[in-house]
Amino acid sequence: MWSESNNYGFENEQDYLRSIKKDDSYTFTYPFEYIAKNHGNDNYDIGTADMVVQVQWTDTEAGYTMAYDVPEMDKIDPAEGNGDAASFYESDVCWRLESDLDGMGSASSFVPSRPCLELCVM
């Protein structure tokens, strides 16, 4: 990372971060499983839904912001034992996003070490 003693030829950290920026935005779609029907006694019907995660560059932050959405969240019933979108993100999607961002190289340097705590719902 940028520091005054190791400045990579840039006057400030903002300019350095902008110099290693990759694309303006990325969109990822991750399938995850939820309980479609809970019959009791550990007997479940499992459904699959998609979570769309958007990673967007912002000049004001000199980094990426992230947001997620589950377009079919209305078919996921909490009464069947399901959590909300944030719980699905934290348990099923966060680690995959982190892995994908790490695989992209410098793009991962712009995101928090635990992006699942930094996201907002779209």
Side-chain angles (χ1 to χ4, degrees):
M1 243 6 198
W2 185 91
S3 68
E4 286 187 25
S5 62
N6 189 13
N7 63 20
Y8 301 97
F10 294 92
E11 290 185 27
N12 59 56
E13 186 176 20
Q14 304 286 347
D15 289 341
Y16 166 70
L17 290 173
R18 286 184 187 100
S19 77
I20 61 173
K21 170 188 151 188
K22 290 202 170 203
D23 292 332
D24 286 334
S25 65
Y26 303 92
T27 300
F28 303 91
T29 301
Y30 299 101
F32 66 92
E33 294 181 341
Y34 65 93
I35 301 170
K37 179 68 177 163
N38 184 345
H39 300 285
N41 297 323
D42 293 326
N43 185 13
Y44 307 101
D45 293 337
I46 301 297
T48 303
D50 289 330
M51 180 173 287
V52 179
V53 180
Q54 292 183 332
V55 181
Q56 180 78 36
W57 176 263
T58 172
D59 282 328
T60 57
E61 299 292 324
Y64 289 95
T65 59
M66 295 174 280
Y68 58 81
D69 182 39
V70 180
E72 301 170 308
M73 196 65 199
D74 61 322
K75 72 178 188 178
I76 300 174
D77 186 356
E80 298 295 337
N82 296 297
D84 59 7
S87 67
F88 285 113
Y89 178 81
E90 290 178 19
S91 66
D92 295 328
V93 174
C94 181
W95 64 272
R96 291 187 275 172
L97 175 63
E98 288 175 343
S99 177
D100 286 346
L101 290 171
D102 285 344
M104 295 170 65
S106 64
S108 64
S109 66
F110 295 114
V111 298
S113 60
R114 288 288 296 162
C116 42
L117 302 177
E118 302 293 330
L119 294 184
C120 61
V121 176
M122 294 191 297

